[in-house]
Amino acid sequence: MTFKDFNFNEQLAEGIQSMGYNTPTAIQAQAIPIILEGKDIIACAQTGTGKTASYLLPVLNSIGKADAGHRISTLILGPTRELVQQIDQQVEGLAYFTNISSLAVFGGGDGIAYEQQKRGIQNKVDIVIATPGRLIAFLTSGALKLDHLKHFVLDEADRMLDMGFFQDIMRIITYLPANRQTLLFSATMPGKIRTLARSILKDPEQINIALSQPAVGISQQIYRVHDAQKTKLIEVLLRSGLYTSTIIFASTKEKVKALAKDLKHAQINAEAFHSDMNQGEREEVLLNFKNRQLPVVIGTDALSRGIDVEGIDLVINYDVPGDPEDYIHRIGRTARAETKGTAVTLVNKHDERKLTNIQSLIDKKIEEITLPADIGSIPEQKPQFDNTKRKSRNNRRPAHKDAPKGQKRS
Ligand code: AMP
């Protein structure tokens, strides 16, 4: 299959070519024909699968056909300003040869940003890409009207619900015409997403893209450590001279801040990335990291979704993620585009069950590396959790909170 099979208009075809896309990805091959037919969809697909273009291309084609009237015809909602900006960049690239315009609307920043976004809306745009909170501010003040909306996209719907946006989404829907196409994308499909889908989609087609396994180019390793040894080990890894670009993931922003402080104290050029920073600070960190002026960035799982930086050669998991799919998201930041990368996970004595769940999801035992002698002795290892027993037990009682969420892998 090629992009020609979709019969996109000439300007859009030129945009696709200029973005360097040759072959549609699996989600694009499945979703594009359905969206072109005007149907609603619910799609289970993650970042890195080409999901953004799978809805942008048919929507851009349809706006092009209607000859861009610069009345908002498309609303795309995403959980974070980073995602909103990345979607906007893809719109700009793909729609470069069309006269379709878009605007990113997100919270944070200062009053100036709010005024700029407001002016942008008044300048008339075809596509608004927004985080829910800021969009509501524009809707309730009457600055933004969505009476002519044709396409409504929810991207990373699971993350939006995790961030507490359910009420906001339902409120936004009251401002939309009932007669519209709704496209819902989510990396996972917990019950609450299905409930949301039932209330806002009409007779949707369902698409499932299987969870992609970690790229073969990633060398996955674990170190068994005490918490007190983690920072020292990270220093050793960062000073080894083997890596030029590193992301470190920690489970909470408190840990992110503390580790950044410790590494800076040890004269390592590292910056934290978390939601307490203002937008300008976050953007500066990401830009410096992308430009390779900053070799080490430390963040929570929010950083593992959406960040599309080439050339990251080391991912460190400061702690073992509770959700095994987050492990795949995190380590997927390295070895992109068939290059090689290393993913190191630090495992303390409480993390065995989480590690077992990850190994069961990736169907592989991760190589254990011996702790360098100068870091001290390793924790006594608890017996490995028997996954087979867990499976049979789970048939009789609710799944343990650490157990992999079975329905995600459909
Ligand atoms: P996404 O899953 O939407 O975040 O996309 C991940 C990356 O794949 C982005 O950098 C896209 O620009 C890129 N991409 C999307 N579709 C294609 C395609 N058909 N061929 C090559 N790259 C693509």
Side-chain angles (χ1 to χ4, degrees):
M1 175 172 253
T2 74
F3 282 105
K4 286 204 174 66
D5 297 326
F6 302 124
N7 272 326
F8 289 136
N9 64 54
E10 225 174 275
Q11 293 78 8
L12 189 54
E14 225 176 315
I16 296 169
Q17 209 180 2
S18 73
M19 290 284 277
Y21 300 177
N22 296 319
T23 318
T25 63
I27 179 90
Q28 290 162 3
Q30 287 189 48
I32 291 173
I34 303 172
I35 302 175
L36 283 173
E37 275 181 49
K39 290 188 177 153
D40 285 4
I41 61 169
I42 171 167
C44 188
Q46 299 164 353
T47 300
T49 54
K51 66 171 167 68
T52 317
S54 81
Y55 62 77
L56 286 182
L57 289 171
V59 165
L60 289 169
N61 192 64
S62 131
I63 302 175
K65 249 190 197 158
D67 204 9
H70 294 321
R71 286 198 296 204
I72 300 166
S73 71
T74 303
L75 171 65
I76 303 169
L77 280 187
T80 60
R81 57 178 85 107
E82 284 75 27
L83 183 71
V84 161
Q85 286 169 318
Q86 283 184 18
I87 297 169
D88 193 34
Q89 280 162 12
Q90 276 201 51
V91 173
E92 277 174 19
L94 292 170
Y96 188 80
F97 299 97
T98 72
N99 63 348
I100 298 171
S101 58
S102 64
L103 178 74
V105 165
F106 43 82
D110 45 24
I112 301 170
Y114 183 90
E115 283 307 319
Q116 275 172 348
Q117 293 171 14
K118 195 166 155 190
R119 265 203 307 282
I121 293 169
Q122 283 153 0
N123 284 342
K124 305 213 164 123
V125 288
D126 301 286
I127 304 178
V128 169
I129 309 146
T131 51
R134 177 57 62 93
L135 185 77
I136 287 192
F138 284 122
L139 285 171
T140 49
S141 71
L144 178 68
K145 298 238 182 304
L146 296 171
D147 306 341
H148 297 279
L149 199 87
K150 294 199 172 86
H151 315 279
F152 174 44
V153 184
L154 292 121
D155 199 346
E156 295 195 4
D158 51 349
R159 193 127 286 220
M160 282 199 277
L161 296 196
D162 286 347
M163 291 169 73
F165 284 133
F166 179 79
Q167 295 298 343
D168 284 351
I169 293 171
M170 296 316 281
R171 194 154 162 219
I172 288 166
I173 285 170
T174 64
Y175 288 88
L176 311 184
N179 194 8
R180 58 165 199 267
Q181 181 179 40
T182 306
L183 312 171
L184 186 150
F185 287 78
S186 191
T188 60
M189 280 296 153
K192 56 189 180 178
I193 291 288
R194 297 196 181 276
T195 310
L196 174 73
R198 267 195 297 278
S199 65
I200 66 170
L201 299 175
K202 275 189 211 138
D203 199 13
E205 297 265 344
Q206 186 155 340
I207 296 171
N208 287 317
I209 296 298
L211 178 75
S212 46
Q213 289 290 342
V216 283
I218 308 178
S219 160
Q220 299 178 60
Q221 308 170 353
I222 60 163
Y223 285 90
R224 285 200 160 78
V225 286
H226 294 291
D227 282 346
Q229 296 168 316
K230 286 182 174 180
T231 308
K232 184 83 191 124
L233 175 60
I234 290 173
E235 276 181 50
V236 170
L237 291 169
L238 295 177
R239 290 195 206 282
S240 68
L242 295 171
Y243 311 107
T244 55
S245 189
T246 300
I247 295 195
I248 306 174
F249 289 108
S251 55
T252 64
K253 59 186 170 200
E254 286 66 37
K255 286 188 192 170
V256 167
K257 288 179 197 171
L259 181 61
K261 200 167 146 210
D262 288 347
L263 291 182
K264 278 184 191 171
H265 191 69
Q267 311 290 322
I268 287 175
N269 186 5
E271 292 289 345
F273 179 96
H274 54 75
S275 55
D276 288 348
M277 291 159 66
N278 71 37
Q279 185 194 342
E281 292 168 336
R282 286 160 62 135
E283 275 171 11
E284 194 184 335
V285 168
L286 274 195
L287 192 68
N288 288 340
F289 186 61
K290 276 187 192 180
N291 293 343
R292 307 198 143 241
Q293 277 158 2
L294 174 69
V296 182
V297 66
I298 309 157
T300 59
D301 283 298
L303 188 63
S304 74
R305 309 235 177 182
I307 182 173
D308 192 16
V309 176
E310 301 277 314
I312 297 169
D313 42 24
L314 175 64
V315 169
I316 299 176
N317 290 314
Y318 180 82
D319 39 31
V320 183
D323 183 336
E325 290 188 9
D326 280 335
Y327 175 81
I328 294 182
H329 279 299
R330 287 179 178 192
I331 72 167
R333 298 309 104 199
T334 184
R336 286 174 91 71
E338 301 186 357
T339 54
K340 296 235 176 288
T342 303
V344 168
T345 301
L346 310 188
V347 182
N348 72 17
K349 63 179 192 255
H350 305 295
D351 286 336
E352 287 302 329
R353 183 191 295 264
K354 294 180 191 164
L355 179 64
T356 308
N357 287 339
I358 288 168
Q359 296 188 138
S360 138
L361 181 63
I362 63 174
D363 203 13
K364 174 176 161 166
K365 195 160 167 31
I366 304 173
E367 183 190 7
E368 182 173 346
I369 310 286
T370 314
L371 204 58
D374 55 340
I375 298 206
S377 59
I378 63 167
E380 201 180 306
Q381 203 187 324
K382 283 194 176 170
Q384 286 257 339
F385 190 62
D386 185 343
N387 209 34
T388 358
K389 275 187 200 147
R390 179 183 58 78
K391 272 181 187 150
S392 59
R393 268 208 313 267
N394 278 350
N395 290 339
R396 283 183 268 124
R397 59 165 210 192
H400 185 279
K401 66 179 167 50
D402 284 336
K405 294 168 192 157
Q407 52 178 333
K408 285 179 173 179
R409 303 179 64 191
S410 49

